[in-house]
Amino acid sequence: MEDTELKKVIETLLFITDHPLPPERLAQLCEVKDVDRVRTAVTALKDQLDTGGSALQLMQIAGGWQMATRPENSIWVRKLYHNKMTV
């Protein structure tokens, strides 16, 4: 799998999960033996989201990575969930 595709697969996995995924688990799911390659792809994805003006961000939580909305958009999330905040 090429690096561009790996980054897309990681983005997909982090988007759909409701809990943090450690790099080792991401590597397993992506069928990539080199965990450092996965770490590099996650860092590149984080940088892309941060510099590209995305409403989403990657956060390192509990030894893993999770996708979340940015704090400045929390008002819209609260409207959707009727003042119940979700991660």
Side-chain angles (χ1 to χ4, degrees), residues 11-38:
E11 183 176 16
T12 300
L13 294 171
L14 293 174
F15 180 78
I16 63 167
T17 189
D18 61 351
H19 59 277
L21 293 175
E24 296 79 10
R25 179 66 174 138
L26 287 168
Q28 180 185 37
L29 291 166
C30 295
E31 301 176 351
V32 173
K33 293 181 181 182
D34 185 357
V35 177
D36 285 334
R37 185 170 168 230
V38 169

Side-chain angles (χ1 to χ4, degrees), residues 12-83:
T12 300
L13 294 171
L14 293 174
F15 180 78
I16 63 167
T17 189
D18 61 351
H19 59 277
L21 293 175
E24 296 79 10
R25 179 66 174 138
L26 287 168
Q28 180 185 37
L29 291 166
C30 295
E31 301 176 351
V32 173
K33 293 181 181 182
D34 185 357
V35 177
D36 285 334
R37 185 170 168 230
V38 169
R39 286 187 182 104
T40 300
V42 169
T43 300
L45 177 58
K46 180 180 180 349
D47 292 345
Q48 179 183 329
L49 292 170
D50 289 345
T51 60
S54 177
L56 302 175
Q57 63 181 336
L58 288 187
M59 299 178 67
Q60 195 166 17
I61 302 169
W65 288 93
Q66 188 165 15
M67 192 169 279
T69 57
R70 294 191 186 276
E72 58 267 25
N73 296 315
S74 63
I75 186 172
W76 308 111
V77 175
R78 278 194 298 270
K79 284 184 177 200
L80 177 63
Y81 287 102
H82 306 288
N83 294 323

